[in-house]
């Protein structure tokens, strides 16, 4: 915290024996002691401080603790006598009692009014019916569930609007998940104060087969998203927000982690709420630009440093990371955050499933994967030994993952293992938030193949 942000607490009762401006020699308004009124010196004594020569300025008086009946030694009142203190119903006309029903339903009446209304409800059927309806309405005002909007509501509203009037410039379907997740994250950030922006966040992912993490803040997470989204912006011909930083770093700032670290390292101060504006403007620019591209633009390669993705997959990747880090932020500020709409979540799962064969091949080259029980190398484009990945839930489906070669085709005919996972849990495994050993998966078949696929899924994660 900077010096401008620090403050020192001041004790109002500190130095209560020193009253500036009132010395031993008194003042022009000094009175004899016998005429001077008793003043509270703010220390609870109720006396004028010794040596004071004038009246003490007015201070809030702190009342002394009151003794309870038990402490005073007096007998407790008889319980039978308490009945005499019960509120007596007021004698009110029907119109007045009817006007009190709303306040009664909200528990805003006095004790006497409540007694009068409840006594009246026992003899007036119309008021009793009205009171019941009002109580039910009050119950609707106090829903126990979260008031946050359903993640799919925005999609349904847009679809209803577009059905009535098609857009002049439609957004490609592969960009819709990013549009939705960026909007949801921006809504989460809208009311954040300084405390929330500086709340600590721990980014988690897997490096090799080991979990790793990096500590930052909510503002640091948005700076990370701004840095990585900039790689998509470069592909679309937009301005890179890190152009000066990456230019100074040279070839060392090409991947997501390197760009983020360069941004954090060159910032004079830790990122603050000011980073939201550039990130928000960049996300809007990405969505507007892809809306103007033709149908072939989805195949443009987006460089991630040591690998690349076509633009349509890169936009899904950005949507996935936007959701995952929004959950990190929501967890840091103790706020509920729902998963994406099922149709968008399904596309994110499909991207992860399509990337698994290449990650499995990389694991074999790095010596982190043992050979299968019955390896079956085949020519490119032909069916090979496969694992059936079954994703449960509204965003679910089935994918056949080729195990022995990324160029092979997954096939039910050569299925050697079967894994079943919930859709959200699979995505959190792919984000590096769940260890592969703890993934609640239904498993059947080749154990080594299952282990390789689970660890490869965690290996999809990165900072």
């Amino acid at each position: 915290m900077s010096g401008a942000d620090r403050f020192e607490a001041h004790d109002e009762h500190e130095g209560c024996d020193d009253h500036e401006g009132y010395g031993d020699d008194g003042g022009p308004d000094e009175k004899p002691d016998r005429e001077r009124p008793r003043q509270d010196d703010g220390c609870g004594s109720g006396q004028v401080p010794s040596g004071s020569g004038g009246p003490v300025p007015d201070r809030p008086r702190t009342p002394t603790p009151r003794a309870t009946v038990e402490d005073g030694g007096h007998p407790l009142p008889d319980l039978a006598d308490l009945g005499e203190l019960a509120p007596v119903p007021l004698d009110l006309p029907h119109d007045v009692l009817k006007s009190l029903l709303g306040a009664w339903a909200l528990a805003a009446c006095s004790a006497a009014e409540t007694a009068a209304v409840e006594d009246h409800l026992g003899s007036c059927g119309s008021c009793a019916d009205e009171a019941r309806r009002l109580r039910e309405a009050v119950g609707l005002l106090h829903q126990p569930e979260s008031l946050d909007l359903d993640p799919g509501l925005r999609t349904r509203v847009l679809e209803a609007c577009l059905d009535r009037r098609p857009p002049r410039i439609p957004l490609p379907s592969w960009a819709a998940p990013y549009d939705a997740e960026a909007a949801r994250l921006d809504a989460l950030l809208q009311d954040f104060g300084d405390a929330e922006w500086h709340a600590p966040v721990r980014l988690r992912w897997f490096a090799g087969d080991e979990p790793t993490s990096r500590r930052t803040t909510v503002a640091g997470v948005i700076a990370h998203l701004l840095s990585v989204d900039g790689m998509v912006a470069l592909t679309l011909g937009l301005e890179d927000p890190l152009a000066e930083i990456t230019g100074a770093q040279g070839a060392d700032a090409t991947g997501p982690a390197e760009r983020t670290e360069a941004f954090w390292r060159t910032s004079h101060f830790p990122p603050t709420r000011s980073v939201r504006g550039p990130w928000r403007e960049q996300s809007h620019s990405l969505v507007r630009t892809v809306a103007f591209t033709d149908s072939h633009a989805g195949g443009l390669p987006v460089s991630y440093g040591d690998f690349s993705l076509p633009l349509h997959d890169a936009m899904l990747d950005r949507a996935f990371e936007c959701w995952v880090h929004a959950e990190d932020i929501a967890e840091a500020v103790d706020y509920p955050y729902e998963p994406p709409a099922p149709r968008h979540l399904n596309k994110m799962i499909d991207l992860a499933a399509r990337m698994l064969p290449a990650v499995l091949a990389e694991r074999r080259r790095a010596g982190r994967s043992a050979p299968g029980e019955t390896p079956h190398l085949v020519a490119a484009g032909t069916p090979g030994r496969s694992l059936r990945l079954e994703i449960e839930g509204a965003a679910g489906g089935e994918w056949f993952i080729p195990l022995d070669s990324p160029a092979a085709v997954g096939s039910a005919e050569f299925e050697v293992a079967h894994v079943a996972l919930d859709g959200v849990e699979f995505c959190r495994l792919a984000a590096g938030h769940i260890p592969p050993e703890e993934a609640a998966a239904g498993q059947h078949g080749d154990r080594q193949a299952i282990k390789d696929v689970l660890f490869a899924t965690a290996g999809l994660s990165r900072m």
Side-chain angles (χ1 to χ4, degrees), residues 90-116:
L90 301 175
D91 186 12
L92 301 175
H94 178 272
D95 291 344
V96 175
L97 291 168
K98 186 175 181 179
S99 68
L100 289 173
L101 292 178
W104 172 83
L106 292 169
C109 288
S110 66
E113 290 171 338
T114 299

Side-chain angles (χ1 to χ4, degrees), residues 404-450:
D404 299 320
S405 170
V409 176
S411 170
E413 181 182 358
F414 296 96
E415 177 184 326
V416 297
H418 176 203
V419 171
L421 274 168
D422 173 74
V424 173
E425 186 171 17
F426 174 78
C427 287
R428 288 174 178 156
L429 175 62
H433 287 194
I434 300 176
E437 303 92 339
E438 298 179 11
Q443 306 176 6
H444 176 74
D446 189 333
R447 294 297 176 183
Q448 184 60 45
I450 292 171

Side-chain angles (χ1 to χ4, degrees), residues 32-374:
D33 288 344
R34 65 178 179 275
E35 297 179 3
R36 186 181 302 135
R38 292 166 63 88
Q39 301 272 351
D40 190 352
D41 65 351
C43 299
S45 64
Q47 302 291 335
V48 177
S50 101
S52 176
V56 178
D58 292 338
R59 294 174 178 267
R61 295 179 60 85
T62 304
T64 57
R66 297 181 180 179
T68 63
V69 174
E70 293 87 342
D71 296 334
H74 299 289
L76 296 175
D78 195 304
L79 293 178
D81 297 337
L82 296 178
E84 301 176 1
L85 302 178
V88 179
L90 301 175
D91 186 12
L92 301 175
H94 178 272
D95 291 344
V96 175
L97 291 168
K98 186 175 181 179
S99 68
L100 289 173
L101 292 178
W104 172 83
L106 292 169
C109 288
S110 66
E113 290 171 338
T114 299
V117 170
E118 292 177 351
D119 183 66
H120 176 68
L121 295 180
S123 58
C124 180
S126 61
C127 285
D129 290 340
E130 179 68 13
R132 177 181 55 80
R133 287 193 291 270
L134 290 171
R135 272 288 169 89
E136 292 175 352
V138 170
L140 296 175
L141 297 176
H142 299 280
Q143 290 289 340
E145 63 268 12
S146 171
L147 297 179
D148 290 330
L149 298 179
D150 178 4
L153 178 61
R154 182 176 186 272
T155 301
R156 294 197 297 270
V157 171
L158 287 176
E159 286 179 346
C161 295
L162 296 177
D163 286 343
R164 297 177 65 89
R165 189 180 69 179
R168 185 165 55 90
I169 304 173
L171 182 68
S173 60
W174 42 265
Y178 176 77
D179 182 30
E181 293 310 307
R184 288 211 300 146
L185 175 54
D186 188 47
L188 173 67
L189 301 173
Q190 183 173 357
D191 297 325
F192 275 17
D194 290 340
E196 287 84 5
W197 280 103
H198 295 290
V201 180
R202 186 166 292 280
L203 303 180
R204 295 166 290 168
W205 70 97
F206 268 71
D209 287 345
E210 297 298 326
T212 187
S213 63
R214 182 73 155 80
R215 184 183 175 87
T216 183
T217 63
V218 169
V221 174
I222 302 303
H224 167 58
L225 292 175
L226 173 70
S227 303
V228 185
D229 286 352
M231 297 188 298
V232 182
L234 282 172
T235 299
L236 294 172
L238 300 174
E239 181 181 355
D240 182 7
L242 274 66
E244 294 183 4
I245 297 174
T246 55
Q249 298 291 323
D252 295 333
T254 57
E258 293 79 13
R259 285 173 60 90
T260 300
E261 293 287 357
F263 190 7
W264 288 345
R265 188 167 52 249
T266 56
S267 297
H268 296 293
F269 301 98
T272 63
R273 67 167 69 233
S274 61
V275 77
R276 180 192 173 206
W279 169 78
R280 189 168 183 262
E281 179 57 34
Q282 180 175 251
S283 66
H284 289 177
S285 297
L286 292 177
V287 172
R288 285 194 299 266
T289 304
V290 297
F292 281 99
T293 59
D294 56 31
S295 58
H296 302 291
L300 292 173
V302 177
S303 174
Y304 281 75
D306 53 352
F307 70 98
S308 64
L309 289 174
L311 178 61
H312 56 78
D313 284 346
M315 292 296 288
L316 279 175
D317 171 77
R318 303 314 307 134
F320 176 79
E321 189 167 2
C322 194
W323 161 49
V324 168
H325 289 321
E327 278 199 336
D328 291 335
I329 292 172
E331 181 181 353
V333 299
D334 195 21
Y335 195 84
Y337 202 81
E338 297 295 325
R343 58 185 294 182
H344 294 163
L345 189 62
N346 178 269
K347 292 181 178 180
M348 299 177 194
I349 294 171
D350 178 71
L351 172 63
R354 288 188 283 111
M355 295 177 69
L356 279 176
V359 179
L360 286 168
E362 179 61 30
R363 285 178 54 81
R364 284 192 295 271
R365 284 193 292 269
R368 298 198 304 271
S369 174
E373 294 178 359
T374 55

Side-chain angles (χ1 to χ4, degrees), residues 385-389 399-403 416-419 449-450 453:
R385 212 169 57 101
S386 306
L387 177 141
R388 178 158 58 102
L389 175 63
W399 288 263
F400 287 93
I401 312 299
L403 298 172
V416 297
H418 176 203
V419 171
I450 292 171
V453 169

